[in-house]
Amino acid sequence: MNFTEKPQTAEGWINGAFFVLEPEIFDYIDGDETQFEHEPLERLAAEGQLMAYRHDGFWQCMDTLREKHILENYWATGKAPWKTWE
């Protein structure tokens, strides 16, 4: 198994993740300059310690104000794909 952080391709899966970690994760982080998406996750994958769940449903990041507005618009118009109740 391997891990590559969000390659720029026209198709495939991305890491839009929530992590559940054991305290030993700190053994994989050398310091404040360590990029979590690179060395630690790549090493965990190589050691067979990284597991993933493939989600086929709706997903939208909310990293920017623009994306927040997109999600708020879904909600305000009653078209929120994540809403499963009436």
Side-chain angles (χ1 to χ4, degrees):
M1 176 181 211
N2 64 14
F3 177 86
T4 304
E5 174 60 16
K6 295 183 182 113
Q8 299 300 313
T9 61
E11 60 184 52
W13 293 91
I14 65 163
N15 168 29
F18 291 93
F19 291 95
V20 177
L21 306 167
E22 297 288 338
E24 290 79 15
I25 189 63
F26 295 108
D27 296 339
Y28 292 79
I29 301 171
D30 292 328
D32 291 343
E33 301 302 315
T34 300
Q35 292 184 5
F36 188 70
E37 296 84 357
H38 293 285
E39 298 87 7
L41 292 184
E42 290 168 0
R43 187 171 150 205
L44 286 166
E47 293 176 5
Q49 296 296 316
L50 183 63
M51 305 300 157
Y53 170 78
R54 184 174 170 159
H55 174 67
D56 292 310
F58 174 81
W59 181 84
Q60 167 65 53
C61 62
M62 191 173 75
D63 296 332
T64 67
L65 185 58
R66 177 183 168 275
E67 293 162 347
K68 177 181 182 279
H69 291 159
I70 289 169
L71 291 165
E72 288 175 335
N73 186 55
Y74 279 136
W75 188 262
T77 60
K79 297 178 182 175
W82 62 88
K83 185 177 178 186
T84 59
W85 65 94
E86 290 298 320

